[in-house]
Amino acid sequence: MRRFLRPGHDPVRERLKRDLFQFNKTVEHGFPHQPSALGYSPFLRLMAIGTRSGAIKLYGAPGVEFMGLHEENNTVMQIHFIPDQCQLVTLLDDNSLHLWSLKQHGGTSELREEHRFTLKGPPGSPPSATQVTAVLPHSSREVLYLGTESGNIFVVELPSFRVLEDRTITPEAVLQRIPEDNCNRRSCELVEALREHPKNPDQILIGYSRGLIVLWDLQNNKATHHFLGSQQLENLYWQRDGSKFISCHYDGSYSQWPVSSDNRQAEPLENTVPYGPFPCKAISKIYWQTTKNGLPYIIFQGGMPRASYGDRHSISVIHGSQQTAFDFTSRVIDFFIIFSSDPAAEFDDPSALVVLAEEELVVIDLKSAGWPAVHPPYLASLHCSAITCSHHVSNIPLKLWERIISAGSKQNIHYSSMPWPIDGGTNIAPDPPQRDLLLTGHEDGTVRFWDASGVCLHLLYKLSTVRVFLTDADPNDNMNTLGEDEWPPLRKVGTFDPYSDDPRLGIQKIYLCKYSGYLAVAGTAGQVLVMELNDEDAEHVVDHAEADLLQDQEGYRWKGHEKLKTRDGPVRFEAGFQPFVLVQCQPPAVVTSLALHSEWRLVAFGTSHGFGLFDHQQKRLVFVKCTLHPSDQLALEGPLSRVKSLKKSLRQSFRRIRRSRVSSRKRRGGGGNASEVQEANAKFDQDVLQEMELAPVQRKIEARSAEDSFTGFVRTLYFADTFLRDSSRHCPSLWAGTNGGTVYAFCLRVPPAERRMDEPVRAEQAKEIQLMHRAPVVGILVLDGRSTPLPEPLEVAHDLSKSPDMQGSHQLLVVSEEQFKVFTLPKVSSKLKLKLTALEGCRVRKVTVANFGSCKTDDYSENDLAVLTNLGDIQIISLPFLKLQIRYPCIRKEDVSGIASCVFTKYGQGFYLISPSEFERFSLSTKWLVEPRCIVDMPEVTTNNHVHKPGTENAARKS
Amino acid sequence: EFRRFSLERSKPGKFEEFYGLLQHVHKIPNVDVLVGYTDIHGDLLPINNDDNYHKAVSTANPLLRIFIQRKEDADYSAFGTDTMTRKKNVLSNVLRPDNHKKKPHIVISMPQDFRPVSSIIDVDILPETHRRVRLYKYGTDKPLGFYIRDGSSVRVTPHGLEKVPGIFISRLVPGGLAQSTGLLAVNDEVLEVNGIEVSGKSLDQVTDMMIANSRNLIITVRPANQRNNVVRNSRTSGSSGQSTESSLPSSTPNILGSLLQGEEESDEEDIIIEDSGEPQQIPKATPASESIESLSQIELLHESTQNGFLPSSENLNHSTGSISMEYEAPEPGRKSLEEDGTIITL
C-alpha cells in the first residue's frame, strides 16, 4: 500500500483514486426554502412544490422524489398536472409556461423540462393582455385554457404550446349573451378562475374578478348560464355531480349556485359569511366535499374577522356541527384535499387536508375523530427552531436505534395513525447500508434526532434541555387554553416556532457515544449536560457543578449574558435522554468545543476562556486550564461588543427584505410599471456598484501575534490513549487546541474499573506546543503504529474495530486553519507538513477522518482526511502522508452559513444547509451513495376518462 | 604604521585593557578604532569583546597580527567569514580602502548583530520589470505593515491590450517593515506570493496566502515605478519593449531554489514546552521523513532548470537545442500569459 502513496502521478494510485472517490450532490433534505406554489395529481398521487427560486420538487411515497429547476430562477406561481398524464405545467412570475414530464430512463424516472412558452399578444397590446392569471388543463389532455388579466381566455395546444387563435374566448363574445343592464366591458376584466364541469368536458366555468361568473359551452362557443355575484370573486369550486358550484369572495363570504337547464340566470342558493358579522378577510380558496352521510365538508382558506384575527393564517374545516380553524404559524401558500379519485364513486369522501405553509407542510387526517395531524415522512421543518449545530453518528447499533425510536414514539402519540396519503411512485433504491443518526441542535435548547440513513430525513426523537433550567417563560403558562365556546374555533397546528424564549438555551455542541448511549450537550451560556438514555419516565435531581475557567486571573469583568439559573430539587424527565450532570462554565461564555470519553467517563469542554475536564462518574471537576492571554480584553467582555454589529446587520437585512417585497408587489400590480421598477432597480444597483468602486476593499497584511484577540478560544478537544511521556508506557491523554495555534496535552490517570469510584482521576500537563504560524487549531488526531487513527472510545470493546497498534511509534496530527502537521510522539519532532493556505490561499473550515472503500473490491479501504475550506471546496488528503488526493467545488464561497453548517460522516458523506430549512446531502465515496431512485408508472387509464376531475385546483393566485 | 609588542598568552586580560593598550601604543588615546585580526583561514575577524579577544590570542601562531582602522573610514564589508577567494585581498583592502569597488559605505552594525530585514532575490531569473522581495518578519517586532486591494492591470494578449483583474498594494503603514525596506510601493502589482501565482485568486485568498507566509514572505511585484529596475548586462533588451522573457513560468508551484532554502531554515520554529519546562524549538524528525520532502525538492529543482531561467543554462540551451521558451515561436495558449511591463506602466 505504501507504494501507492508516493507522490507524483503513479498510474496505479490514480486508478485507485477513481475507485475510491467520487463527488455527488445526492438529495436535498428538509423543507424547501420559500415555497410559492403547490400542485397535486390524484392520478399519480404525487405532490409538487414550486419555490421562489424556480425549483420544482415532486414527492410521492416516502423515498419517491424528483427535483427540477427552471433556468430563469423565477418564482413558480402555479403548478398544474395534466390529467391522467405524467406531465405538469408550471407558470412563473415572468409569465412563462413550462411543460415538465416524468420519463423513465435507465430503470428510474426522471423529471425533465420539455417545452417552454410565453403567451404573446398582438403587436402593440399592453403586457396585461397576455398576463396569465388562471390555467386550466383540459381533461382531453390536448389543450390548456389560459385566463388573462385582460379577460381573454387563450387556448393553447399541448404539448406544442401552439396558440389556437380561433378558439380564444374574448370578453366581447361573453358579453353578447348577457343583458347589458347589469354588465359592461369592465365586468370581464381579469379571469380569476377557470373550472371544467366535472361531468361534461364541453362546459367550463369562467370566474371574472369583479364577480361575474359564466358557464361557457365549448361546443357551441357561447355562454349558456351567467351568475352575478355582488362581491369581488376569489375562487370557484364545482360540486362532484356538477349540479352546483361554490364561489368565494373578497369580503369573507361564500355562495352556492345552482346550475340547471331551466334557470339561466340563477340567484345564489346560499350566501354565508362564516366569521361575520364584522368585516372579514377574503376567502381565497374553497372546497365543498360530499360524504355518504349527507353532511358536506366545507374547507376554506382565510375569512377571519379582519380586526381581531386578520393576522392569522388559517384554514377552516366545517363538517356539520364540527368546525375548526387550523391556525398556522406561517403564511399558507396553498392547500389541497385528498378525496376519492374513483370516477364511479358517488361521494368525495375526503380523507386528508394537505396544507403547504411557508415554513412547513401540515397534513390533517379528516377521517379520524378530532382531525389529528399526520406525521410527514419527509419535508421535515428542520428549522422549526433555528439550527445552531449538527452532529452525525454513523452505523448506530440496533439496540440504541430501537431505544431512541421507542422514546420518540412516546412523544408522537398525538399524531394520527393514518398511513401517509401521498403515496405515488415506487421507491426502488436499495435499503440503506446502515443506520445513521443526524443530531441537530437548536436555538430553543432542543436536540432533534433524525434518521439520516436514507433519502427521507425523518424525525425520530426530540430532546429538550429546557427543563433543567429556570427560564422566563413558565411552562405551565399554556397559550393554547381556549374555552369550549371560543370563537373563532382556532387550533394551532404545525411545529414551526422560530421564537426562542431565551437565546442562552441554544445548543452549540453535541457528542453522542453510540455504544454507551451517553450524550453530552453544550450550549450558549456555558452549560454542559451529560445525559443517559432511560426507557422510562423518571424524576431526579441533576447534579450541578461550576467550572471557573478564569481561576486566579484578576481584574476581569464579564459583560456578557448571565449564566442560566437551575431548577432546585428533582425534575421530571420523560423517557429518552435524561440529564444527570450539569457543569456550568464561569464566565458563562459559549461552549466552543466538547469531547466525551464514555469508557473513562470523562467529559471535556472549552470556551473562549479555557477548558476543563469533568469526571461524570464521580461527579467531580478534575481540572481547569485558563487559555486566556492577559491582554485579550475582547474575549473577557463577552459577546456584547459583537451584538451591536449583529443588530445592525439584522436591521439591514430587514430593510433589504422590505425593499424586495415592495418592488415585487409593484411589479405584480400593473404590467406597465414593471419596466420602470426594473429600471429603477438597475439604477440603484449601478449606484451601489459605483460606490464600491470609489472605496476599494483593502485587506491588511499582518502576521498573527500572541496579542491578537480570542487566541485563547478553545477550538478542539480530543481524548487519546497514547505515548505522551515515554515510548514504553502509554496513558490516557487529553489534547486541546486553541485559536492562537497552541496545543496543550494533559496526561490523565484514570483509576481501574474496580477502584473507579474510590480514587480520583488525576491530570497533569505534559506538553504545550506553539505553532509559530499561530493559526487556529481545528483538529487534533493521533495515529497508531500502523498510521491508523485511534479508534473511538468503546469501539474496540464492542469488537467493531481492531485494537490500535501500541507497538510502533504513534504520530500526532495537528490541523490548523492553514497547515497540516505530523509530529512524532512521545518526543515531539516535526515529521511532515502540508501548507495548504500558503499554496492555495484557502483555509480549513472542517476536517474529519473518513473511511473510503473501493467500489471494485470489498477488501480495500483506507482512511483519509475530508476537508472543507473557506472557499467551499472539499479536498481529500491522504493519511499519513498528507498528499492532496482530489478536490471538488461544493459550496459557493459566499455561502458562509452553508460552509459553517457542513458536517462530514465517517464514511465520506456530508450535509450542509442550503437554506435555513434544507440540508444538501453529498457523497465523496463511490461506495456509499444515498440518493433517490424511484419509478413512476402510468396507472391504468380508464376509458371514460373525461369524468376525471382536472388534476389540480387553481393555485390561489393571491396567496 | 606598524607596531610590535608582546602579550602573555596565558593571561591576556580583558578586551578593554587591550584596547587601551593599543591606543597607548599607537598614541591615539581619543580616536575610536576598529580592531581586527586574521585567523588561520585567512579571514579578517573583529576583536571587540572579551570572547573574540581571547579566541584571537589563543589561536595566534605564534604571531597575532592585528589590524587597526579608524572607525569613521572603516570598511565593514571586509569583515566576515568570507570565502577563500577574498583571502588574498584582505590585506590590500584594508590598507588601501580606496581601491575597493563598493563605494557607498553604509554604516551598519557589527556582523554579529546582523539580521536581514529584506532583500531582492532571484534577480537573475526574473524579467527586469518584476521584482521579487523577501521580507524577514521573524525576529523583529516591526509589523509587516501593508494593505492590498483589488484592481485591474493591462496585459498584452494576441487580441491587443486587455484589462485583467489584479492585486495591488494599496497602502504602506509608516514605520512598518514593508515601508522601511523601500522595495515595495503603493500601486505595485502583486504577481506571486512565495512562488505561487496570484492570478485567478481572490483578494481574500491572496490575503490568506500572505498571512500564512508572513514569517518569511516573498512577494513578486511589478513595481508601479519602473525606473528603478535592475538593469542586467546579460540581456540586451529591457527598455525597448521587446523583452522576450515571456513571463514567469506558468507551471504552478514555481518555488525556486532560493525559496526552498528559505522555507527550510525559517519556517520550522514551532515551540514545545515539555512538563512545564523551558520552551524549545521542535526539531525535525530526520530519518523517517525520508522520501517525501527530498523527492519534492528534487522535482522542483528539476522543473526550474527545465524552464531555462537559470542564467547558467542559457548558453546550454542554445548549444543543445533543448527547451528554451524565449526563442521558440509563441504558442497561442501561452501567449495570453505574456506581458510586457514597459508598456503597461505608461
Side-chain angles (χ1 to χ4, degrees):
Chain A
M1 200 184 91
R2 182 163 273 243
R3 192 164 59 91
F4 297 155
L5 297 169
R6 284 281 166 87
H9 286 274
D10 179 348
V12 181
R13 178 65 193 164
E14 292 301 310
R15 212 174 311 132
L16 184 57
K17 268 156 72 170
R18 278 198 295 277
D19 295 346
L20 292 170
F21 313 124
Q22 180 188 37
F23 180 71
N24 282 299
K25 291 187 182 177
T26 55
V27 61
E28 289 171 8
H29 294 305
F31 185 77
H33 187 50
Q34 295 184 314
S36 56
L38 174 70
Y40 176 66
S41 166
F43 171 69
L44 299 173
R45 302 182 73 83
L46 291 178
M47 166 177 70
I49 295 176
T51 73
R52 290 200 12 204
S53 51
I56 170 158
K57 297 181 168 198
L58 267 60
Y59 296 91
V64 176
E65 46 180 280
F66 302 96
M67 197 193 140
L69 188 65
H70 293 91
E71 245 170 56
E72 295 86 349
N73 290 334
N74 277 340
T75 300
V76 180
M77 303 296 288
Q78 298 185 22
I79 301 172
H80 300 273
F81 281 89
I82 309 294
D84 306 339
Q85 294 283 311
C86 288
Q87 284 184 317
L88 63 154
V89 170
T90 55
L91 171 68
L92 305 191
D93 69 347
D94 64 354
N95 204 33
S96 62
L97 287 158
H98 302 254
L99 179 70
W100 296 80
S101 56
L102 282 169
K103 289 246 166 91
Q104 291 192 11
H105 178 83
T108 58
S109 295
E110 287 174 9
L111 182 66
R112 290 220 192 112
E113 190 180 346
E114 303 256 294
H115 286 285
R116 64 185 64 192
F117 166 72
T118 305
L119 191 61
K120 287 196 183 65
S125 60
S128 67
T130 51
Q131 181 73 40
V132 177
T133 53
V135 180
L136 170 66
H138 194 257
S139 60
S140 65
R141 310 190 298 254
E142 283 156 5
V143 292
L144 277 183
Y145 291 91
L146 304 174
T148 63
E149 260 179 29
S150 63
N152 285 303
I153 295 157
F154 294 92
V155 186
V156 296
E157 202 177 54
L158 279 177
S160 65
F161 280 124
R162 191 166 63 86
V163 181
L164 304 172
E165 280 177 22
D166 53 321
R167 289 169 69 179
T168 303
I169 304 167
T170 62
E172 289 73 22
V174 169
L175 287 167
Q176 267 177 13
R177 303 280 303 216
I178 294 166
E180 266 185 41
D181 49 335
N182 43 21
C183 266
N184 56 32
R185 175 65 183 81
R186 295 199 62 194
S187 317
C188 291
E189 275 179 3
L190 210 152
V191 178
E192 197 70 56
L194 287 172
R195 292 281 180 264
E196 184 179 326
H197 191 284
K199 300 286 181 196
N200 180 0
D202 290 333
Q203 288 192 324
I204 59 170
L205 196 62
I206 307 167
Y208 296 96
S209 158
R210 283 178 183 269
L212 175 68
I213 303 158
V214 172
L215 185 62
W216 186 263
D217 188 328
L218 296 169
Q219 284 288 314
N220 305 314
N221 250 338
K222 61 169 193 185
T224 56
H225 296 66
H226 73 272
F227 312 88
L228 262 176
S230 55
Q231 285 296 330
Q232 206 173 314
L233 182 76
E234 288 284 322
N235 221 323
L236 295 170
Y237 188 78
W238 276 110
Q239 288 191 16
R240 193 175 182 92
D241 59 1
S243 66
K244 287 179 224 139
F245 68 87
I246 315 291
S247 65
C248 56
H249 303 277
Y250 183 73
D251 67 340
S253 66
Y254 67 85
S255 311
Q256 206 182 165
W257 306 80
V259 181
S260 56
S261 49
D262 49 318
N263 186 358
R264 299 195 171 271
Q265 192 185 331
E267 288 298 310
L269 284 177
E270 185 198 0
N271 190 2
T272 323
V273 184
Y275 294 109
F278 298 112
C280 290
K281 296 203 77 171
I283 294 180
S284 48
K285 187 172 181 179
I286 191 161
Y287 276 82
W288 183 290
Q289 300 270 289
T290 55
T291 60
K292 236 178 248 138
N293 65 14
L295 284 174
Y297 277 88
I298 303 163
I299 301 164
F300 58 88
Q301 176 187 353
M304 282 284 138
R306 191 172 282 275
S308 1
Y309 297 96
D311 57 341
R312 300 301 178 102
H313 314 287
S314 71
I315 288 179
S316 303
V317 180
I318 304 172
H319 179 60
S321 60
Q322 293 177 62
Q323 177 166 358
T324 300
F326 294 103
D327 185 10
F328 299 89
T329 51
S330 56
R331 204 163 55 93
V332 173
I333 303 297
D334 200 359
F335 71 101
F336 62 85
I337 309 290
I338 296 175
F339 53 87
S340 167
S341 61
D342 176 9
E346 202 177 334
F347 302 103
D348 290 319
D349 277 328
S351 54
L353 161 68
V354 181
V355 183
L356 177 69
E358 191 152 41
E359 307 288 359
E360 62 187 326
L361 182 82
V362 177
V363 177
I364 306 285
D365 174 4
L366 295 175
K367 293 225 144 150
S368 310
W371 298 334
V374 185
H375 194 49
Y378 44 68
L379 286 168
S381 283
L382 295 169
H383 62 320
C384 24
S385 167
I387 294 179
T388 43
C389 65
S390 32
H391 174 71
H392 186 274
V393 191
S394 300
N395 219 350
I396 304 286
L398 184 63
K399 184 80 189 131
L400 178 68
W401 187 257
E402 284 171 344
R403 290 176 73 191
I404 292 173
I405 288 180
S406 109
S409 64
K410 286 175 190 153
Q411 297 179 322
N412 289 340
I413 40 173
H414 58 280
Y415 279 114
S416 160
S417 55
M418 174 192 232
W420 184 243
I422 303 164
D423 53 3
T426 316
N427 179 8
I428 54 169
D431 279 341
Q434 57 188 29
R435 289 169 297 271
D436 286 359
L437 265 184
L438 181 66
L439 279 67
T440 53
H442 297 261
E443 201 181 23
D444 63 353
T446 58
V447 178
R448 276 157 228 252
F449 289 62
W450 305 90
D451 173 2
S453 330
V455 169
C456 293
L457 193 71
H458 182 68
L459 182 65
L460 295 177
Y461 165 71
K462 180 179 133 184
L463 161 75
S464 176
T465 61
V466 180
R467 272 171 188 284
V468 183
F469 306 103
L470 272 175
T471 55
D472 300 339
D474 199 89
N476 297 326
D477 170 25
N478 196 341
M479 306 282 281
N480 242 355
T481 45
L482 291 172
E484 281 295 303
D485 50 348
E486 200 71 33
W487 187 260
L490 288 167
R491 191 172 108 198
K492 273 242 178 296
V493 281
T495 54
F496 180 71
D497 177 19
Y499 306 105
S500 166
D501 296 334
D502 191 335
R504 294 176 298 170
L505 291 169
I507 305 294
Q508 298 293 337
K509 294 284 163 195
I510 304 171
Y511 191 101
L512 172 69
C513 171
K514 62 183 176 186
Y515 304 110
S516 61
Y518 279 117
L519 172 71
V521 161
T524 306
Q527 73 270 34
V528 180
L529 285 160
V530 187
M531 315 195 199
E532 214 173 359
L533 189 54
N534 186 345
D535 298 322
E536 302 296 329
D537 289 14
E539 190 166 341
H540 58 82
V541 178
V542 177
D543 277 288
H544 177 218
E546 199 161 281
D548 179 11
L549 293 174
L550 288 181
Q551 289 170 289
D552 335 314
Q553 311 256 13
E554 271 176 31
Y556 292 149
R557 202 155 65 89
W558 170 252
K559 295 185 194 159
H561 49 233
E562 283 175 35
K563 68 171 186 175
L564 284 159
K565 285 197 185 70
T566 51
R567 224 173 259 282
D568 296 327
V571 185
R572 180 140 202 100
F573 297 102
E574 57 180 22
F577 287 93
Q578 298 174 345
F580 62 95
V581 159
L582 166 67
V583 183
Q584 285 185 295
C585 299
Q586 196 56 253
V590 175
V591 176
T592 54
S593 55
L594 180 71
L596 178 76
H597 200 292
S598 41
E599 203 169 341
W600 304 335
R601 308 289 166 97
L602 295 172
V603 61
F605 47 88
T607 72
S608 49
H609 302 102
F611 57 97
L613 180 69
F614 191 84
D615 173 359
H616 66 75
Q617 178 89 15
Q618 291 185 24
K619 298 182 174 128
R620 200 182 65 88
L621 191 65
V622 179
F623 77 93
V624 290
K625 165 89 184 170
C626 181
T627 54
L628 205 62
H629 194 274
S631 67
D632 191 351
Q633 280 302 316
L634 271 177
L636 287 167
E637 288 176 1
L640 260 191
S641 46
R642 287 197 282 183
V643 166
K644 237 182 232 165
S645 62
L646 179 71
K647 264 188 190 159
K648 197 175 150 201
S649 70
L650 270 180
R651 205 159 43 223
Q652 275 166 350
S653 59
F654 273 123
R655 269 192 207 133
R656 217 168 21 241
I657 290 167
R658 213 175 301 149
R659 198 166 55 218
S660 70
R661 276 201 187 142
V662 167
S663 62
S664 69
R665 199 168 297 156
K666 266 189 195 161
R667 205 176 304 159
R668 217 176 293 173
N673 282 342
S675 58
E676 278 171 41
V677 171
Q678 268 168 6
E679 230 167 73
N681 278 352
K683 191 169 178 297
F684 176 78
D685 287 350
Q686 238 168 23
D687 289 351
V688 169
L689 274 179
Q690 265 169 5
E691 214 170 280
M692 275 162 61
E693 297 238 313
L694 283 177
V697 188
Q698 289 195 105
R699 291 281 183 274
K700 188 179 185 181
I701 308 298
E702 206 44 77
R704 292 195 187 78
S705 84
E707 282 84 45
D708 286 348
S709 282
F710 296 108
T711 49
F713 195 113
V714 180
R715 290 289 291 265
T716 182
L717 289 162
Y718 177 67
F719 284 108
D721 187 359
T722 188
F723 300 93
L724 195 55
R725 283 244 165 82
D726 56 68
S727 49
S728 53
R729 276 178 302 134
H730 57 93
C731 67
S733 63
L734 172 67
W735 299 76
T738 72
N739 232 22
T742 314
V743 174
Y744 300 94
F746 280 76
C747 192
L748 307 179
R749 218 188 62 79
V750 182
E754 61 275 13
R755 296 196 303 276
R756 183 65 180 79
M757 286 306 284
D758 308 331
E759 295 173 22
V761 175
R762 289 212 174 81
E764 196 181 344
Q765 181 164 340
K767 288 185 195 321
E768 180 181 333
I769 301 170
Q770 176 61 53
L771 302 177
M772 284 321 274
H773 64 286
R774 294 191 184 277
V777 177
V778 292
I780 297 173
L781 186 69
V782 172
L783 307 174
D784 73 4
R786 289 183 295 259
S787 293
T788 310
L790 293 185
E792 278 176 53
L794 291 175
E795 202 173 340
V796 175
H798 284 71
D799 285 335
L800 287 157
S801 167
K802 272 194 279 184
S803 45
D805 182 351
M806 289 301 190
Q807 303 309 315
S809 57
H810 283 196
Q811 297 172 67
L812 170 71
L813 170 67
V814 177
V815 182
S816 78
E817 283 190 4
E818 293 183 351
Q819 299 189 10
F820 297 76
K821 283 195 157 173
V822 175
F823 299 97
T824 56
L825 283 178
K827 170 115 181 66
V828 176
S829 53
S830 69
K831 200 170 171 190
L832 264 183
K833 69 181 171 215
L834 172 66
K835 295 168 77 176
L836 192 70
T837 310
L839 285 171
E840 301 186 16
C842 57
R843 305 165 64 83
V844 178
R845 281 280 173 269
K846 305 270 166 169
V847 60
T848 320
V849 177
N851 186 273
F852 291 94
S854 163
C855 60
K856 293 275 168 64
T857 55
D858 277 340
D859 54 358
Y860 183 79
S861 75
E862 63 177 48
N863 289 307
D864 296 280
L865 292 173
V867 177
L868 176 75
T869 71
N870 65 332
L871 304 179
D873 287 348
I874 288 176
Q875 309 201 351
I876 296 173
I877 291 169
S878 71
L879 280 177
F881 292 105
L882 303 182
K883 290 284 150 191
L884 175 62
Q885 300 297 303
I886 210 149
R887 177 199 351 243
Y888 304 106
C890 179
I891 312 176
R892 282 183 311 115
K893 69 167 184 259
E894 296 80 15
D895 184 4
V896 179
S897 63
I899 291 171
S901 65
C902 180
V903 49
F904 287 109
T905 78
K906 274 188 82 179
Y907 295 95
Q909 304 224 340
F911 302 85
Y912 67 92
L913 288 173
I914 47 176
S915 73
S917 57
E918 285 167 289
F919 271 117
E920 172 80 60
R921 186 189 193 111
F922 61 85
S923 171
L924 301 167
S925 159
T926 51
K927 209 172 180 184
W928 305 84
L929 206 64
V930 174
E931 60 182 347
R933 286 179 64 82
C934 43
I935 198 156
V936 174
D937 285 316
M938 283 274 283
E940 293 280 310
V941 181
T942 44
T943 43
N944 57 341
N945 53 48
H946 68 271
V947 284
H948 276 269
K949 294 181 141 267
T952 50
E953 304 308 322
N954 192 353
R957 199 179 53 83
K958 290 217 168 117
S959 60
Chain B
E1 49 178 340
F2 294 90
R3 293 281 189 282
R4 196 166 178 159
F5 58 93
S6 61
L7 274 173
E8 194 167 350
R9 191 189 286 259
S10 53
K11 273 190 272 171
K14 290 201 179 301
F15 171 70
E16 250 103 274
E17 297 163 19
F18 178 67
Y19 189 75
L21 179 64
L22 286 178
Q23 285 178 322
H24 175 73
V25 168
H26 287 270
K27 299 193 174 66
I28 42 167
N30 292 318
V31 181
D32 283 341
V33 292
L34 283 183
V35 184
Y37 74 106
T38 48
D39 74 349
I40 45 167
H41 306 295
D43 291 326
L44 181 64
L45 298 177
I47 301 178
N48 49 14
N49 59 30
D50 289 352
D51 289 342
N52 51 22
Y53 169 54
H54 291 164
K55 176 80 179 161
V57 172
S58 62
T59 54
N61 188 25
L63 279 181
L64 175 64
R65 196 169 300 214
I66 290 169
F67 300 92
I68 300 170
Q69 285 177 277
R70 210 190 269 272
K71 217 164 201 171
E72 291 88 2
D73 49 23
D75 179 13
Y76 291 86
S77 62
F79 287 107
T81 51
D82 238 321
T83 51
M84 302 294 272
T85 51
R86 266 176 65 184
K87 187 175 174 182
K88 298 211 170 74
N89 298 332
V90 168
L91 204 66
S92 61
N93 278 344
V94 172
L95 294 177
R96 291 184 300 278
D98 295 349
N99 288 354
H100 198 255
K101 280 195 178 135
K102 281 190 184 164
K103 259 279 134 92
H105 288 197
I106 313 153
V107 179
I108 49 174
S109 59
M110 295 304 289
Q112 66 270 27
D113 298 331
F114 221 69
R115 180 186 293 124
V117 174
S118 66
S119 54
I120 301 186
I121 55 171
D122 297 337
V123 178
D124 44 355
I125 54 171
L126 281 176
E128 282 159 20
T129 53
H130 296 176
R131 182 185 294 162
R132 188 168 283 168
V133 178
R134 180 168 184 173
L135 298 175
Y136 301 81
K137 164 71 182 137
Y138 54 93
T140 85
D141 292 333
K142 261 188 187 173
L144 283 170
F146 67 102
Y147 289 74
I148 56 171
R149 62 166 170 90
D150 277 318
S152 59
S153 79
V154 182
R155 301 278 157 105
V156 185
T157 69
H159 319 292
L161 296 178
E162 216 167 70
K163 249 188 166 182
V164 291
I167 304 286
F168 294 83
I169 294 175
S170 62
R171 189 154 90 85
L172 298 179
V173 178
L177 192 57
Q179 194 220 32
S180 64
T181 65
L183 299 176
L184 298 171
V186 172
N187 293 334
D188 285 1
E189 182 180 1
V190 177
L191 302 171
E192 291 179 355
V193 176
N194 289 52
I196 311 284
E197 271 192 66
V198 305
S199 76
K201 292 199 159 60
S202 70
L203 183 65
D204 288 333
Q205 270 176 287
V206 178
T207 307
D208 284 339
M209 285 166 70
M210 287 187 173
I211 291 175
N213 286 308
S214 57
R215 305 191 62 76
N216 175 36
L217 184 58
I218 300 168
I219 317 177
T220 310
V221 293
R222 188 205 330 272
N225 179 356
Q226 289 278 334
R227 267 168 293 182
N228 296 333
N229 289 343
V230 182
V231 178
R232 268 174 277 148
N233 304 329
S234 59
R235 307 263 183 217
T236 48
S237 58
S239 57
S240 64
Q242 294 294 316
S243 99
T244 40
E245 56 268 55
S246 55
S247 71
L248 302 166
S250 61
S251 55
T252 25
N254 171 33
I255 302 169
L256 297 154
S258 55
L259 304 195
L260 264 175
Q261 287 167 11
E263 183 157 344
E264 292 318 305
E265 74 202 17
S266 67
D267 196 62
E268 274 324 304
E269 300 181 346
D270 296 343
I271 285 172
I272 176 136
I273 303 170
E274 300 258 7
D275 294 323
S276 315
E278 284 298 304
Q280 291 173 338
Q281 284 195 3
I282 294 180
K284 292 209 62 141
T286 28
S289 68
E290 25 129 354
S291 56
I292 310 305
E293 302 234 330
S294 54
L295 246 174
S296 59
Q297 272 187 30
I298 289 159
E299 266 175 25
L300 289 163
L301 281 170
H302 179 62
E303 204 171 271
S304 54
T305 347
Q306 265 203 345
N307 280 332
F309 285 106
L310 293 181
S312 56
S313 68
E314 207 177 329
N315 293 331
L316 193 93
N317 285 342
H318 269 300
S319 53
T320 58
S322 70
I323 310 157
S324 165
M325 294 297 180
E326 291 100 308
Y327 304 103
E328 273 179 5
E331 303 159 42
R334 194 151 244 285
K335 187 81 183 175
S336 63
L337 281 161
E338 282 194 6
E339 50 198 53
D340 193 317
T342 47
I343 291 180
I344 291 149
T345 49
L346 282 176

